[in-house]
Amino acid sequence: MIDVSNLSKAYGDVQALQDVSFNIASGEIVGMLGPNGAGKTTIIKILTGYLQPDEGTVLINDLDVLEHTREVQAQIGYLPETAPLYPELSVQAYLKMMADLRQIPEAEQKALLSEAIYATGLQEHLTRPIGHLSKGFRQRVGLAQAILHKPRLLILDEPTVGLDPTQIVEIRNLIRRLADHSTVLFSTHILSEVEALCDRAIILMNGQVKADAHLSELEATSDAVVVLEQQLSDAPNLLQGLPQVQGVGTFKSHDGFPAYRVLGCQATEDTAGRGDLCPAIYKLAREHDWPLRELRRDVRTLETVFNELATQGSAATSSVTTAEVAR
């Protein structure tokens, strides 16, 4: 559905996007995750034909966005971060206006309006001015206009920003229902949004794609945690000597016992299927009669992945800055 290749965009001296590439298949729900200023909104504006890139190509359903802008826009439902609403209009009048702007034939409007209204739960608010609605219901009106024409692609920019917890849950449930008929791409800087809605995440930082994978792949790890009843001086060296161990770190468990985080090597074709270090660690503990209190595979969350990438990016930036000063 979406094919982005080598996309770059600068605003003066600020490089908003740098060689961004990714693909999204039909029917996927993909979260584009990144801190403020990462380039998420710039990508969305290019995808929807509102902004031209400096370099690169964007295909939506095999159509080039620059060459077939109107045809592409006809297939997209778009909800920007600030919904394009007219507060003095009633919900009903606004949606009717959007149907006319979409050039939906009069004969089809009634059915499509009704479907969008019931999908977003607006049937009790049709005669109310939009300006009198809560932020959550204004978001629903924005979503209703975005899905009115049954788009094949739904693009949402920060769809839950500023909502209270109840409204966030309602919008999440609505997005899940909409995904039954549309491919969904939404941007956010909130990690829990991606974990709650997506199977796949694209992580952007400083205008570059730092990760693009299913959440299960991003969170996969072979690292293990070992907790002992007492400190053993030889434990780190013995753990380090195991095959596929990259490093061993020490820390205190939550209840104060000595603990070790055993870092596994990156998987390769030759080591595929041997990622779990726990069996080898358990065998080592039995051979040396360790007072083993806990042994488990480490947990790697999306937050962990995001922070690792952010730390790497900060280190790289500091390195470049230092080199420039040195010159």
Side-chain angles (χ1 to χ4, degrees):
M1 178 57 71
I2 300 177
D3 185 2
V4 174
S5 300
N6 309 115
L7 208 60
S8 294
K9 178 66 180 179
Y11 299 103
D13 295 333
V14 178
Q15 191 69 41
L17 298 176
Q18 184 176 344
D19 199 30
V20 170
S21 298
F22 60 85
N23 297 283
I24 296 177
S26 181
E28 283 192 289
I29 305 181
V30 178
M32 191 157 55
L33 181 64
N36 291 328
K40 304 185 300 296
T41 298
T42 297
I43 287 179
I44 284 178
K45 287 181 176 179
I46 292 173
L47 290 177
T48 52
Y50 289 102
L51 190 66
Q52 289 193 356
D54 297 332
E55 297 178 16
T57 59
V58 177
L59 301 180
I60 304 290
N61 199 24
D62 294 328
L63 293 174
D64 190 301
V65 172
L66 295 180
E67 296 180 9
H68 306 280
T69 305
R70 291 297 179 88
E71 294 94 324
V72 167
Q73 289 175 338
Q75 299 183 41
I76 294 176
Y78 176 36
L79 177 62
E81 184 174 351
T82 303
L85 305 176
Y86 294 86
E88 70 278 6
L89 292 180
S90 69
V91 173
Q92 183 173 267
Y94 171 75
L95 293 178
K96 177 64 169 66
M97 180 188 73
M98 295 306 297
D100 292 336
L101 289 174
R102 285 282 184 186
Q103 298 182 337
I104 298 174
E106 285 284 345
E108 300 176 17
Q109 282 193 19
K110 183 176 180 180
L112 290 176
L113 283 166
S114 178
E115 191 170 339
I117 287 165
Y118 276 92
T120 52
L122 290 169
Q123 59 270 26
E124 302 296 328
H125 303 273
L126 294 179
T127 59
R128 294 187 63 188
I130 292 173
H132 294 180
L133 299 176
S134 68
K135 185 170 177 94
F137 273 100
R138 291 200 298 273
Q139 284 291 85
R140 288 171 180 249
V141 175
L143 280 169
Q145 66 80 24
I147 66 173
L148 186 57
H149 56 303
K150 288 192 171 181
R152 298 189 62 182
L153 173 62
L154 187 59
I155 297 179
L156 312 173
D157 192 3
E158 304 282 2
T160 61
V161 67
L163 302 184
D164 64 37
T166 301
Q167 293 168 337
I168 288 173
V169 171
E170 291 173 351
I171 295 299
R172 284 178 182 172
N173 291 335
L174 176 56
I175 291 172
R176 289 192 193 95
R177 293 198 301 271
L178 296 175
D180 291 339
H181 309 288
S182 303
T183 301
V184 178
L185 170 66
F186 74 93
S187 78
T188 183
H189 61 277
I190 304 172
L191 298 174
S192 59
E193 290 298 291
V194 176
E195 291 178 319
L197 284 170
C198 302
D199 292 323
R200 179 181 163 205
I202 297 172
I203 300 179
L204 282 172
M205 291 188 179
N206 299 317
Q208 296 178 301
V209 175
K210 295 298 184 180
D212 179 3
H214 286 80
L215 297 189
S216 58
E217 296 171 342
L218 286 173
E219 296 170 356
T221 177
S222 61
D223 301 349
V225 171
V226 185
V227 182
L228 302 178
E229 293 280 355
Q230 63 190 56
Q231 189 79 44
L232 298 177
S233 59
D234 62 342
N237 289 334
L238 290 171
L239 289 168
Q240 183 69 63
L242 292 173
Q244 304 306 318
V245 170
Q246 190 176 31
V248 178
T250 61
F251 66 100
K252 290 285 187 181
S253 68
H254 64 89
D255 45 4
F257 288 94
Y260 307 90
R261 180 169 285 106
V262 186
L263 308 180
C265 296
Q266 292 293 327
T268 66
E269 291 183 5
D270 295 331
T271 63
R274 288 192 284 152
D276 189 357
L277 296 173
C278 290
I281 295 173
Y282 180 69
K283 181 179 179 182
L284 181 70
R286 289 192 61 183
E287 288 174 353
H288 293 272
D289 198 25
W290 286 354
L292 190 62
R293 182 177 180 85
E294 181 182 356
L295 173 61
R296 59 177 169 81
R297 200 162 185 165
D298 200 9
V299 177
R300 193 166 185 253
T301 65
L302 183 59
E303 182 179 4
T304 306
V305 175
F306 188 86
N307 288 335
E308 286 175 359
L309 293 171
T311 302
Q312 292 168 9
S314 298
T317 302
S318 299
S319 176
V320 170
T321 304
T322 303
E324 288 175 347
V325 171
R327 286 201 297 270

